Amino acid sequence: MTATMSAEKQTSKSAKILYRPWGLIGSLLGGLIAGQVFQQIWKRVDPQGTDDPPKPLESEYPLKKILVAAVIQGAIFSLVRALIARGGARAFERWTGEWPGD
């Protein structure tokens, strides 16, 4: 057995089912937090622009600006989602003794 295999935590079907509502709440909360973080970062990245980042269908913005906003937003959402998912899984494990993933 390799080190990775022995380090994996066992998950029961009931742990996965019990974690689903917590995971959903965490995802919603993560989306809200990531949106706020992105808004604040975008204000600093584009200080001359409006408060809102450009959307893909807004023709007054150049493609480069729209792509920069999309890359920043995607990175922030991925990071926040990973942090919240991992933190939620660890909290669930502390409360129940079972890892909810895998």
Side-chain angles (χ1 to χ4, degrees), residues 35-51:
Q36 293 300 313
V37 170
F38 174 61
Q39 287 287 345
Q40 295 304 312
I41 289 175
W42 184 254
K43 287 178 189 176
R44 287 169 179 77
V45 169
D46 187 27
Q48 298 92 358
T50 63
D51 286 343

Side-chain angles (χ1 to χ4, degrees), residues 16-32:
K16 287 182 180 183
I17 292 169
L18 288 172
Y19 182 72
R20 282 185 186 162
W22 294 109
L24 180 60
I25 291 168
S27 293
L28 293 172
L29 180 64
L32 292 172

